[in-house]
Amino acid sequence: MKNKQGDLKDIAKVFLKLGFTAFGGPAAHIAMMRHEVVIKRKWITEQHFLDLIGATNLIPGPNSTEMAIHIGQDRGGWKGLLIAGFCFIMPAVLITGCFAWLYKGYGHLPQVQPFIYGIKPAIIAVIIAAIYPLAKKSLQTIELGIIGLAALLLSLMGFSEILVLFGSGFVAMGLAAIRQKRTNATLSFIPLFLLGDNAFTGPKNISLFLSFLKIGAILYGSGYVLFAFLDAELVSKGIITHQQLIDAIAVGQFTPGPVFSSVTFIGYQVNGFSGAVVSTIGIFLPSFLFVALLNPLVRKMRSSKLFAAFLSAVNVASIALILVVCYQLGKDSLTSWQEISIAVCSAVILFRFREVNSAFIIIGGSLAGYLLLLL
């Protein structure tokens, strides 16, 4: 059995690799994490991985980053929490920082479209391959199936993700209480999210830090919701231009790791290196704090019948939300025979060869997209 030091090294190795190869947004990142920590290394069980997905959806912040932090804390305590989060975030931050430097110096981004053409179709296949066993595991009863279907439909109709998640949990919790004949009990669930100019302390950096700290502490949903907040918080106040925001979105799309690393790009445009550093710290700091508070409670929730019902329903609703993301990606990305071919071939490989690392599928999709564009 490995010692604690060995565990910490393994955590660093796994999440550095994911940080450099996890393209495609939170759903794809989580699918790749499942392969690494559930299938390949068996660090945690499928059920606990599902519970962690549900838990990350209950708190603000970037879901895939919070999953990395949760897994790190489970595996290596508070040191594992810090190492997993840092190793997952830093590759994206460093790559984004390089793009920010090039952008500020030359005024445009490198042309990478040919290489990202095939990434999204491959990512859709990765998500579907990961969601299938998770869905089978989470749909334990007909009741949960009905809740999951309702969550899927409500999400497609445009209802808020957080309302769908908490609503699903409360419905299941109420039904569990009725079955236990505890209808007179007070059922309450308090959301856990309630529980010189270039110097780092200059006024520009303090403003950047507080803005991104606020966003990191209140933003629910996928990382792409971040850009609506940035438009209201920065563009409308004249801190950055709309074009800079669009370019930041582009960088977030074609770099690996969490899309929240786009704020590194924005911070650099506003106030250079120090602005990039304080912006990055501000946006990610709440996630570390929320996970540190929530992680010890996840297993306790599973051991309580009422909260287990709540968590199971949240898990099902989380799967429904990921399916909606997959549907939206497919609607936007699968518009040509080349993209459809990449998605189908990737899915066949993943379902036929379960041990294939999804990073290779994404790299293969990128190369296939580049080659098919030449036809």
Side-chain angles (χ1 to χ4, degrees):
M1 187 174 179
K2 290 188 176 183
N3 58 28
K4 201 65 160 180
Q5 193 65 27
D7 285 344
L8 295 178
K9 287 181 180 178
D10 284 345
I11 291 168
K13 179 181 176 182
V14 167
F15 286 103
L16 267 177
K17 182 173 81 170
L18 286 168
F20 278 111
T21 60
F23 288 89
H29 302 169
I30 290 170
M32 295 176 75
M33 286 181 198
R34 175 184 170 273
H35 181 272
E36 290 290 339
V37 304
V38 178
I39 304 301
K40 187 175 178 180
R41 290 175 172 80
K42 302 189 187 304
W43 282 357
I44 57 178
T45 65
E46 194 91 82
Q47 181 61 62
H48 189 55
F49 188 82
L50 262 174
D51 289 345
L52 293 181
I53 292 176
T56 59
N57 279 291
L58 293 175
I59 57 176
N63 291 352
S64 57
T65 302
E66 288 168 350
M67 278 295 289
I69 298 169
H70 268 302
I71 294 165
Q73 187 170 8
D74 270 3
R75 187 69 179 169
W78 69 269
K79 288 184 180 179
L81 175 151
L82 295 173
I83 290 171
F86 182 82
C87 289
F88 183 65
I89 292 166
M90 282 312 296
V93 168
L94 292 174
I95 295 169
T96 302
C98 291
F99 279 116
W101 176 75
L102 290 170
Y103 182 85
K104 194 157 189 176
Y106 300 99
H108 60 84
L109 294 171
Q111 295 299 312
V112 295
Q113 183 61 36
F115 293 98
I116 64 173
Y117 178 77
I119 288 180
K120 278 191 177 180
I123 284 167
I124 292 168
V126 168
I127 296 171
I128 291 172
I131 285 301
Y132 177 69
L134 289 175
K136 284 203 304 183
K137 183 73 175 178
S138 64
L139 295 172
Q140 301 163 358
T141 63
I142 295 175
E143 179 183 293
L144 285 172
I146 294 170
I147 290 173
L149 181 60
L152 181 66
L153 294 173
L154 290 172
S155 183
L156 286 170
M157 289 167 63
F159 281 80
S160 164
E161 292 178 354
I162 194 62
L163 289 177
V164 171
L165 288 165
F166 277 104
S168 300
F170 285 133
V171 167
M173 203 176 187
L175 292 172
I178 292 170
R179 282 195 296 271
Q180 294 180 48
K181 298 181 179 179
R182 294 181 180 175
T183 53
N184 293 327
T186 301
L187 299 178
S188 63
F189 182 78
I190 301 173
L192 295 169
F193 60 85
L194 296 177
L195 305 171
D197 206 34
N198 284 327
F200 283 93
T201 56
K204 275 190 179 180
N205 283 340
I206 291 174
S207 177
L208 282 171
F209 177 78
L210 292 177
S211 293
F212 288 120
L213 185 72
K214 179 178 74 175
I215 292 172
I218 64 174
L219 190 150
Y220 274 97
S222 69
Y224 305 111
V225 181
L226 167 69
F227 300 117
F229 279 76
L230 294 179
D231 186 72
E233 189 73 20
L234 302 177
V235 177
S236 64
K237 296 178 182 178
I239 297 173
I240 61 171
T241 66
H242 194 256
Q243 184 60 50
Q244 286 175 321
L245 177 61
I246 292 172
D247 290 331
I249 294 170
V251 171
Q253 293 276 358
F254 63 69
T255 53
V259 73
F260 275 46
S261 63
S262 298
V263 306
T264 305
F265 181 94
I266 292 170
Y268 192 94
Q269 304 313 308
V270 175
N271 205 31
F273 175 76
S274 62
V277 172
V278 299
S279 299
T280 303
I281 293 172
I283 198 75
F284 286 111
L285 182 60
S287 293
F288 283 88
L289 298 176
F290 285 134
V291 171
L293 293 172
L294 177 62
N295 186 269
L297 302 178
V298 176
R299 293 186 190 277
K300 292 180 181 178
M301 289 175 69
R302 178 56 63 184
S303 64
S304 161
K305 289 185 178 180
L306 290 181
F307 282 105
F310 180 93
L311 197 55
S312 292
V314 169
N315 292 344
V316 171
S318 298
I319 298 298
L321 294 179
I322 294 174
L323 286 174
V324 171
V325 170
C326 195
Y327 165 75
Q328 291 168 343
L329 279 173
K331 187 175 65 173
D332 297 336
S333 304
L334 304 182
T335 57
S336 67
W337 69 267
Q338 294 100 327
E339 291 166 314
I340 294 171
S341 298
I342 293 170
V344 171
C345 290
S346 299
V348 169
I349 292 169
L350 284 166
F351 277 97
R352 179 67 181 84
F353 305 101
R354 296 284 184 177
E355 295 303 313
V356 173
N357 193 307
S358 49
F360 293 118
I361 297 296
I362 291 172
I363 294 169
S366 176
L367 293 174
Y370 175 75
L371 294 173
L372 288 173
L373 275 179
L374 298 178
L375 298 179

